[in-house]
Amino acid sequence: QVQLVESGGGLVQAGGSLRLSCAASGRTFTTYRMAWFRQAPGKEREFVGRITWSGGTTYYTDSVKGRFTISRDNAKNTVYLQMNSLKPEDTAVYYCADQVIGSRLYDYWGQGTQVTVSS
């Protein structure tokens, strides 16, 4: 089992920045990669980006490229989502997720943290 706890959400004005954190505990040695998703009210959950745990390779959805950056601190078992130039349409609950080695799905999810961007 892996437990994930997100933090760092809040209210920010458009154009501002936030950094989300996702602290992992438990069987973290089984992690292949971690990702961030978001879900806005009335919308389906959306993939934001991901990072491989060992090599740090990242991938982002087009809508956040150049504005969001995912990084990780292996020693702290923590993944970060740095969000810059925030827009009102970035408002959502942000979730981190963990994909276990050999799995096709994201196996573990955090409880989410709310990000609200005011115009």
Side-chain angles (χ1 to χ4, degrees):
Q1 291 282 346
V2 175
Q3 294 78 41
L4 303 174
V5 179
E6 301 98 335
S7 61
L11 173 64
V12 63
Q13 289 188 333
S17 298
L18 279 176
R19 189 178 80 156
L20 306 183
S21 299
C22 174
S25 60
R27 295 172 57 89
T28 56
F29 59 87
T30 63
T31 296
Y32 166 53
R33 60 189 177 194
M34 294 186 70
W36 288 94
F37 290 78
R38 65 187 180 185
Q39 188 167 19
K43 295 187 177 181
E44 293 189 353
R45 186 172 57 198
E46 174 190 26
F47 170 81
V48 174
R50 65 181 185 228
I51 186 167
T52 57
W53 197 244
S54 60
T57 302
T58 55
Y59 176 81
Y60 303 93
T61 193
D62 286 346
S63 62
V64 307
K65 282 181 182 177
R67 300 189 298 122
F68 290 11
T69 303
I70 298 175
S71 61
R72 89 268 191 248
D73 185 330
N74 292 46
K76 295 182 178 179
N77 288 329
T78 299
V79 172
Y80 303 98
L81 178 63
Q82 177 68 43
M83 304 185 293
N84 299 327
S85 302
L86 283 161
K87 305 175 181 180
E89 51 263 43
D90 294 318
T91 295
V93 177
Y94 283 71
Y95 300 89
C96 67
D98 179 291
Q99 184 178 11
V100 171
I101 296 170
S103 175
R104 294 184 178 181
L105 304 174
Y106 287 94
D107 304 277
Y108 303 103
W109 294 80
Q111 82 289 350
T113 186
Q114 176 71 47
V115 172
T116 303
V117 184
S118 64
S119 57

